[in-house]
Amino acid sequence: RRSPPDLTRGGEPDNTRDWRLGPIGANGWAFTRTTREGASREARQILITRVDPGGPADGLLELGDVILGVDRRRFDRDARKALAAAIDEAEARENEGRLRLLLWREGEVGELVIELPVLGRYSATSPYNCEKTDAIIDGAVAHLMDRPLEDNWLGNITALGLLATGREDVMPKLREFAHSVVDPDEVLNIETHESMLSWRWSYKTIFLAEYYMRTGDETVLPTLTQHATKIAMGQSGVGTWGHTMAARANTGYLHGHLGGYGALNQCGFTLMMAISLAERAGVTNDHITNSLARGERFFGHFIGRGTIPYGDHKGGNDGFDNNGGSAAVAVMFDLLGNRDGAEFFSSMVLASAPAGREEGHTGHFWSHLWGGLGAARGGPEALTAFFRDMRWCFDLERDWTGRFAFQGNAGEAGEHGTPKTGWDPTGARLLQLSLPRRQLVLTGRGLEPPAAPLDEAQIADLLEVGRLKGNPDARAELTREEILALLGHRLPPARHLAVRALLEQELRIADTLIEMLSSPNVYARYGAAEALGAAGYRSEAAVAALIETLRESDDLTLRIYAVNALVGRDQDRGLAAVAQPAIPVLLEMAAAPPIEGDPRRWFQRHISRALFYTGRAQPFVGLIPHHGVAETDRALLVPAVRSLLTLEDGRSRTNVASVFGRLTAGELEQLWGDIYRATRDLAPSGMMFADGVRIDGLRLMQEHDIREGVDLAVSILGERRWGARWRQQQALSVLEAYGGAARPALPALRNARVADQHRERLEAAIRAIEEGEPRSLVSIAEHLR
């Protein structure tokens, strides 16, 4: 584990990125880890890596200076947070902008005073009724008014930020921009795959809907209608979008599977917002109505169960937010009138604030874009508390020119001394700062306030559990009773933190956890199941209790926790080593009809992973590979395999393929039709892992000389979509192995188009088939009827 270097005694910065230092007009490096480890919690020094020409620090700070503290006191806490607090204090009117730094330079320590623009103090209710917030808004607007707006996702976010201010002087600029991006004769295409459509259409549609509702300018209505309708038509059948639409070319019909590697929920949130806002603006049709219902069904599964995943995966319980997903989906559910969703995810957002939100895929842009908007769904006091914990971060982004800088991820490598001129998030910050003005539907105009806004006690509780994130010292101080209480918290990540504390303190309390499975507190039951999976220490009694829970409970969430507990990752502290008695129960449940409230068969998806997983993404294998296929009740295995091969999720189907090679001839006779269809038909979701079962099915058919496998291999060889190179390699291997038996495929192979690196492989396969001895193949046609 790295330790912070002493920069005044020869220590040097590592390659993690430096930071903007707010209105000082400089960059500085401070010791940081990822936000999962507390970001700059241990930093006590800041090394100057850049000084802006013409900024407040120009001519005062020098490269290589080390800021040791403020107001004659050395930093005794996070140096970045302490510096931000000092900046806030200096900007107060009575302090006349004087920022007093304790500075080390070439071996000498002294005080340096930098004069900052005076903005006043944050109010106790900031951003509500706050003079300083209004001044920051004015500075940001002044910065943006001098810059053009571009018709891309960032330009539309910037335009939304300007619109959110409610200022009339920005409207001519926004009117000009809105008119420049519309084309009344435009016909949008969702027939074929076109990369990045979701990014281009989502924020544009959101802006046009908000602009139209604000102005009534009918010039934008045809484009708004066109975009909203095509977005709805381009949704996949399971309610998702990817980087692009579910083009008709993918399947030959609307709402088939997605292109590329599948679902991308960062786009899905905003596309749901886009069509919801368009509907509020008066754009109504069956496509939009049905799309909103499909999307709400998809995202609704995660209410109460954790963060929204990257794509169509299981949700996460190890963090309160995921790249702004909790915040964005809180806004989305609010637009849909789904109070449970808005309230759950707004609570998740607030709890995420103390540990920091400076981490996300491609950077934390989305985290900060949606953070305040999501927190506001918990009520004004929740937003004020969120700002109180996060504004240090925004103050360090805020430049002396009024612009905000995009900082990048905490603990991430980056070039020192760059001016941080990448994506300009100034418009995104305006959305947050302007929330009290309620000028947009996104910022609350016309929406019902929370029926039960978070109160003072709830806010304090959420912030307290949030502080445990990234702070192992605080978790080490938790008592046994406090850990058990935290296991009963309503938020899944809070319960997960309790489990981490159990492991870190090496507490063995399986008997107590087993008793908690019957607690009247439903959240304590969830926490107990999760804790047993991580810290059950091979307890056979725990396995028996979880099996009973699976048989007796009708709570979908508890059942899912119980299934996952049986395959705890740690072989010594978990339960997998003694969980063999659960296999028959899980096989029975895998073959059962969907349980009430689970139309997408999430329960069976978790069973598939628990029983059959053999991949490398998780440090465990499924119970059947772990304990042996031969010992499995074969009468239960066949119907379970048949059922799981029909799941919507491609990864879940691929899990099941791990037993294909261990099935007997008699079992294959029962399953050939199911295996054939799972090989022929791409799963409607989980594209990234959906081809595994198809290739395994091809190999199985070749090994058993199944005639239909030849045509399937040729068909898969010709598929032109994401992952084609790997599929081509595998399909050619199968065809080569068929040898002379694959001669009917030769005309198609001679005309096949493959990636350049597979051209020689294709020729080799053709030669192997031409020169191979012809032999008879077995048909499974009778199984396909």
Side-chain angles (χ1 to χ4, degrees):
R1 182 181 175 90
R2 297 177 297 130
S3 297
D6 187 340
L7 301 170
T8 68
R9 296 187 177 184
E12 295 184 354
D14 58 22
N15 68 340
T16 53
R17 63 175 69 242
D18 61 358
W19 304 86
R20 287 300 280 167
L21 302 179
I24 293 174
N27 282 19
W29 179 88
F31 180 79
T32 55
R33 305 185 189 277
T34 65
T35 52
R36 294 179 182 178
E37 298 178 301
S40 52
R41 183 169 59 92
E42 298 171 73
R44 300 296 182 268
Q45 300 173 345
I46 300 173
L47 173 70
I48 298 302
T49 56
R50 172 187 168 83
V51 180
D52 294 352
D58 189 15
L60 298 173
L61 284 177
E62 297 179 3
L63 299 184
D65 286 349
V66 180
I67 302 175
L68 300 177
V70 292
D71 296 327
R72 301 177 183 175
R73 294 190 300 273
R74 289 179 179 258
F75 295 129
D76 58 2
R77 62 186 181 109
D78 187 322
R80 289 196 300 142
K81 290 186 177 182
L83 177 62
I87 289 171
D88 179 24
E89 186 69 18
E91 289 174 332
R93 297 194 183 282
E94 64 271 23
N95 294 321
E96 300 178 333
R98 291 189 180 91
L99 174 66
R100 301 181 185 277
L101 302 178
L102 187 63
L103 197 72
W104 179 92
R105 176 181 295 169
E106 297 180 349
E108 300 293 328
V109 176
E111 187 176 58
L112 179 69
V113 178
I114 299 176
E115 294 189 2
L116 307 178
V118 175
L119 300 179
R121 288 185 181 277
Y122 287 112
S123 70
T125 57
S126 173
Y128 297 93
N129 303 313
C130 181
E131 167 191 34
K132 184 168 184 174
T133 298
D134 291 340
I136 293 170
I137 290 173
D138 291 344
V141 170
H143 161 73
L144 293 175
M145 291 295 283
D146 291 335
R147 283 155 179 78
L149 294 171
E150 298 181 13
D151 184 14
N152 54 32
W153 61 267
L154 185 56
N156 282 287
I157 290 171
T158 302
L160 277 167
L162 288 169
L163 192 62
T165 66
R167 288 174 45 155
E168 288 301 321
D169 59 335
V170 305
M171 295 310 297
K173 183 181 183 75
L174 295 178
R175 186 176 301 108
E176 179 182 0
F177 175 65
H179 288 189
S180 73
V181 301
V182 303
D183 179 358
D185 299 319
E186 182 179 25
V187 178
L188 302 180
N189 175 37
I190 60 163
E191 300 302 309
T192 58
H193 182 95
E194 186 178 340
S195 181
M196 299 297 175
L197 274 185
S198 294
W199 296 102
R200 298 203 298 272
W201 289 2
S202 59
Y203 289 101
K204 180 176 181 176
T205 307
I206 290 173
F207 167 68
L208 290 178
E210 291 280 17
Y211 172 80
Y212 177 71
M213 286 187 282
R214 168 78 182 275
T215 66
D217 185 350
E218 295 191 356
T219 303
V220 305
L221 193 54
T223 298
L224 172 59
T225 302
Q226 181 81 214
H227 275 73
T229 302
K230 287 299 173 67
I231 287 169
M233 294 171 69
Q235 184 188 47
S236 80
V238 301
T240 56
W241 292 268
H243 283 293
T244 190
M245 302 290 120
R248 198 191 304 260
N250 295 343
T251 47
Y253 51 85
L254 289 177
H255 310 303
H257 64 69
L258 292 163
Y261 56 60
L264 175 64
N265 291 330
Q266 191 60 247
C267 285
F269 310 137
T270 50
L271 290 165
M272 282 287 288
M273 290 183 215
I275 56 177
S276 177
L277 288 167
E279 185 180 57
R280 285 176 176 272
V283 179
T284 57
N285 54 53
D286 288 345
H287 291 298
I288 289 174
T289 301
N290 295 335
S291 181
L292 290 172
R294 274 190 297 269
E296 187 168 10
R297 183 187 75 158
F298 174 83
F299 289 113
H301 169 78
F302 301 101
I303 298 173
R305 296 193 175 103
T307 56
I308 302 291
Y310 182 93
D312 192 2
H313 314 124
K314 70 183 185 72
N317 66 349
D318 59 347
F320 294 97
D321 204 348
N322 175 17
N323 205 20
S326 292
V329 83
V331 177
M332 184 204 80
F333 279 125
D334 195 19
L335 296 179
L336 296 175
N338 185 323
R339 297 308 316 163
D340 289 343
E343 291 167 7
F344 171 74
F345 284 107
S346 65
S347 295
M348 293 275 279
V349 175
L350 183 55
S352 75
R357 299 170 53 85
E358 298 176 283
E359 189 175 50
H361 185 60
T362 74
H364 60 241
F365 186 94
W366 316 109
S367 173
H368 285 352
L369 166 64
W370 294 112
L373 278 74
R377 271 52 196 185
E381 289 77 12
L383 177 60
T384 293
F386 176 84
F387 262 70
R388 191 179 301 122
D389 260 84
M390 286 297 303
R391 70 188 180 207
W392 71 269
C393 183
F394 301 133
D395 280 341
L396 292 184
E397 292 180 332
R398 175 168 50 83
D399 210 335
W400 53 283
T401 65
R403 178 186 183 273
F404 284 76
F406 177 56
Q407 298 273 37
N409 285 333
E412 189 174 63
E415 182 182 355
H416 294 170
T418 59
K420 307 291 184 188
T421 56
W423 296 342
D424 185 339
T426 308
R429 299 303 171 269
L430 279 175
L431 274 173
Q432 289 197 112
L433 294 166
S434 300
L435 274 160
R437 303 185 181 191
R438 299 175 66 91
Q439 293 296 306
L440 306 181
V441 178
L442 282 179
T443 57
R445 184 165 69 91
L447 296 179
E448 289 292 326
L454 294 172
D455 61 30
E456 184 177 349
Q458 290 171 320
I459 290 169
D461 171 65
L462 292 170
L463 295 177
E464 184 62 31
V465 298
R467 291 187 183 98
L468 294 174
K469 175 81 169 149
N471 193 343
D473 295 338
R475 294 195 297 273
E477 295 176 359
L478 293 174
T479 66
R480 180 181 184 273
E481 289 69 28
E482 287 171 334
I483 293 172
L484 291 174
L486 193 57
L487 281 173
H489 200 279
R490 68 186 179 96
L491 295 189
R495 301 194 293 270
H496 183 74
L497 288 169
V499 174
R500 287 183 64 182
L502 275 179
L503 294 172
E504 290 162 354
Q505 297 188 24
E506 299 183 355
L507 296 179
R508 294 175 176 248
I509 56 170
D511 290 344
T512 300
L513 296 174
I514 291 170
E515 292 177 6
M516 284 178 64
L517 288 174
S518 302
S519 169
N521 176 359
V522 64
Y523 303 119
R525 298 198 290 270
Y526 300 160
E530 182 181 358
L532 284 170
Y537 291 94
R538 300 192 177 204
S539 166
E540 295 180 4
V543 171
L546 291 167
I547 290 173
E548 182 180 3
T549 298
L550 286 168
R551 289 193 181 281
E552 300 298 326
S553 177
D554 58 0
D555 183 335
L556 171 62
T557 302
L558 182 57
R559 282 181 155 193
I560 289 174
Y561 272 116
V563 169
N564 292 333
L566 293 166
V567 285
R569 298 180 182 186
D570 191 307
Q571 290 298 305
D572 295 321
R573 295 185 292 187
L575 300 175
V578 294
Q580 189 172 9
I583 293 175
V585 179
L586 294 178
L587 287 171
E588 289 177 5
M589 292 181 167
I595 62 178
E596 186 177 353
D598 189 23
R600 298 197 62 222
R601 299 169 70 194
W602 272 98
F603 182 48
Q604 277 84 0
R605 286 173 65 167
H606 285 270
I607 290 176
S608 167
R609 174 175 166 271
L611 285 177
F612 297 107
Y613 181 78
T614 59
R616 291 175 293 180
Q618 304 288 351
F620 69 88
V621 296
L623 294 177
I624 287 178
H626 182 79
H627 290 282
V629 178
E631 289 71 31
T632 302
D633 187 329
R634 316 299 282 202
L636 297 176
L637 179 63
V638 169
V641 169
R642 174 176 292 123
S643 173
L644 297 178
L645 286 177
T646 66
L647 291 173
E648 290 180 342
D649 175 51
R651 186 178 212 160
S652 298
R653 295 185 185 186
T654 292
N655 290 337
V656 182
S658 65
V659 298
F660 279 0
R662 305 292 184 90
L663 296 171
T664 66
E667 290 164 346
L668 287 172
E669 281 297 306
Q670 299 176 66
L671 289 169
W672 275 127
D674 307 284
I675 293 169
Y676 175 86
R677 282 182 285 273
T679 305
R680 179 193 65 191
D681 302 330
L682 184 68
S685 189
M687 302 296 105
M688 192 176 290
F689 309 98
D691 286 312
V693 65
R694 304 177 74 216
I695 298 303
D696 287 341
L698 282 184
R699 292 184 185 133
L700 188 69
M701 289 185 222
Q702 180 273 312
E703 290 167 4
H704 289 269
D705 282 344
I706 302 300
R707 179 182 302 154
E708 285 77 5
V710 175
D711 288 339
L712 283 183
V714 172
S715 175
I716 289 174
L717 180 69
E719 291 180 4
R720 297 285 181 267
R721 58 180 182 81
W722 184 84
R725 293 180 180 179
W726 178 77
R727 282 194 307 278
Q728 288 174 357
Q729 179 184 8
Q730 302 304 315
L732 287 170
S733 295
V734 168
L735 288 166
E736 193 171 1
Y738 268 108
R743 287 187 177 177
L746 283 172
L749 291 179
R750 293 186 181 114
N751 293 319
R753 293 182 298 152
V754 296
D756 291 342
Q757 67 263 43
H758 297 325
R759 176 56 54 184
E760 290 185 9
R761 188 68 179 272
L762 175 62
E763 298 298 333
I766 290 173
R767 287 195 300 273
I769 293 170
E770 290 176 333
E771 297 169 4
E773 288 292 327
R775 68 181 188 277
S776 298
L777 298 176
V778 178
S779 175
I780 56 171
E782 65 180 280
H783 299 285
L784 306 184
R785 290 192 290 270

